[in-house]
Amino acid sequence: MKENIIKDIKKQDHFKELVVSNTPDYFKTENYLHYRNLWNTCPSNHVVPNFPINLDLHITNKCNLKCPFCPRTWNDLAGGFETYGFMSMELYKKIVDEGIKEGVKALHFTANGEPLLHKGLEEMIKYANERGILEVIIHTNAVGLSEKRSKSLLDAGVHRLAISFDSPEKESYEKLRVGANFEKTLRNIKRFVEIRNNQNKQLPTVRVQMVDQGDNIHLREKFDEMFGNIADSVSHVPYIDYNGGPSTYVDEKTIDGSNMAIGEKKLKDNFSCSYLWQRLIIEWDGIVYPCFYGFDMKMGSLKDNTIKQIWHGKKMTDLRQLHSTGNYNKCGDCNKCGRQFETIEDDTYLSSD
């Protein structure tokens, strides 16, 4: 990417973001900046806010791709999902209403499935905006981002769109994004940005990201050049072998994880997982987890508890105690997670600040 179009390089949690467009005014408001300050200071100071700052909503556990580096794929192929489903509007509104009452700031539609598969996504976004959620973020593979869907999402009022693409070349993209078509998905992204710009909208900002791994690491510069001229920012995250990698879930003949890891791994100094002071993950059926990949760490169910009760409950409190005292390794899922490591290499995007 040409240096003169990079406006900022932001170190995020486990990835770096190369910003190539001006920051929208919305993200400079006092309320928004206060929310982002809480996001950073609560985990660093081990302050438990009254309510999660952010809720990650897995509105479906279905996905239209089988990406070999994705823990969802591993879990799915290993029979980890007893059933598939979509979050009901009744449950969703219950979540948002409690969140607004208690001070939630943001919603992420993300993780254990593809949000665009949920036909009620736009209604969910509109409801969040009507109730006063400060930031609504969608994480998507953009395969289903048709022109019609692009217009409806823009009308609904998304604040950020994070798109995973993973390669600037067709062969490696379709090897990593199994089930996707390179040309069609790239066209979807370009068209979404074009429609947004034609409507003179600053939002949503569009970030295109790549999971750096053995099959695509040599293409990072080309990736930056391609999307630096399309998106508002480009980001890179090193591959993490969550919970031991694919071989923990499925046979190596099904998914060979030997060429995924890059660089060397080093334990982070004084690691404690930021998630425990920032967010909760809520599955489509109301089951609550502390993180994306702690499949055995059920904190509770919204059938029996409120979000606030779970947030301040014994399981969350005990987990925070382990992390805040440097004993995260006494929790089985946390010890094998992978977030406690950083990737060390000579690339300025990934090295520590």
Side-chain angles (χ1 to χ4, degrees), residues 124-268:
M124 290 175 164
I125 296 166
K126 288 178 181 177
Y127 189 77
N129 284 320
E130 289 169 0
R131 298 291 284 127
I133 298 293
L134 272 176
E135 185 169 59
V136 177
I137 306 170
I138 296 176
H139 291 255
T140 179
N141 55 42
V143 170
L145 194 62
S146 64
E147 180 160 339
K148 181 179 179 181
R149 206 72 196 272
S150 294
K151 291 177 179 178
S152 65
L153 288 172
L154 286 164
D155 289 342
V158 185
H159 298 97
R160 295 187 189 272
L161 192 67
I163 299 172
S164 297
F165 200 81
D166 295 311
S167 176
E169 295 184 354
K170 178 180 176 65
E171 182 178 359
S172 58
Y173 170 80
E174 293 182 359
K175 179 181 179 181
L176 294 171
R177 291 271 152 189
V178 177
N181 176 274
F182 178 84
E183 292 85 0
K184 180 180 178 181
T185 310
L186 180 59
R187 187 165 59 247
N188 287 348
I189 298 169
K190 289 180 177 179
R191 183 57 179 150
F192 181 89
V193 175
E194 182 181 27
I195 295 170
R196 182 200 64 182
N197 293 345
N198 288 342
Q199 293 181 1
N200 294 316
K201 291 183 176 179
Q202 289 188 320
L203 302 177
T205 57
V206 175
R207 183 179 84 228
V208 181
Q209 56 196 32
M210 171 172 148
V211 177
D212 292 349
Q213 52 196 292
D215 282 326
N216 65 7
I217 191 170
H218 62 292
L219 297 170
R220 283 183 298 189
E221 185 174 346
K222 186 175 180 179
F223 183 88
D224 295 346
E225 290 285 352
M226 173 186 286
F227 286 107
N229 293 306
I230 298 172
D232 301 300
S233 66
V234 180
S235 71
H236 292 263
V237 59
Y239 163 78
I240 299 175
D241 53 351
Y242 285 109
N243 294 346
S247 62
T248 303
Y249 297 82
V250 294
D251 190 278
E252 289 184 1
K253 293 179 181 179
T254 304
I255 294 180
D256 181 5
S258 61
N259 192 41
M260 292 182 184
I262 57 172
E264 297 180 3
K265 291 197 300 186
K266 173 187 172 184
L267 274 174
K268 293 180 179 179

Side-chain angles (χ1 to χ4, degrees), residues 8-57:
D8 194 10
I9 299 179
K10 296 181 178 179
K11 181 72 186 296
Q12 308 285 2
D13 185 12
H14 221 80
F15 71 94
K16 279 194 174 181
E17 181 178 17
L18 284 69
V19 182
V20 296
S21 67
N22 293 321
T23 302
D25 293 339
Y26 182 84
F27 298 137
K28 301 175 184 178
T29 61
E30 184 177 350
N31 284 344
Y32 186 85
L33 293 174
H34 173 66
Y35 140 56
R36 294 309 298 177
N37 181 60
L38 289 174
W39 183 260
N40 294 318
T41 59
C42 285
S44 61
N45 296 322
H46 291 164
V47 173
V48 182
N50 172 64
F51 195 81
I53 302 166
N54 169 84
L55 295 173
D56 290 275
L57 304 183

Side-chain angles (χ1 to χ4, degrees), residues 258-316:
S258 61
N259 192 41
M260 292 182 184
I262 57 172
E264 297 180 3
K265 291 197 300 186
K266 173 187 172 184
L267 274 174
K268 293 180 179 179
D269 295 332
N270 303 315
F271 173 74
S272 62
C273 186
S274 60
Y275 288 2
L276 303 178
W277 288 270
Q278 292 171 329
R279 67 212 305 174
L280 279 178
I281 283 71
I282 304 177
E283 292 291 333
W284 67 273
D285 55 359
I287 303 299
V288 179
Y289 294 89
C291 66
F292 296 105
Y293 305 117
F295 298 129
D296 296 324
M297 297 170 64
K298 177 180 174 181
M299 294 291 110
S301 171
L302 297 188
K303 293 179 181 178
D304 308 310
N305 304 100
T306 65
I307 300 169
K308 188 173 182 178
Q309 286 171 336
I310 294 172
W311 179 244
H312 292 286
K314 186 178 187 306
K315 288 184 178 181
M316 285 296 296

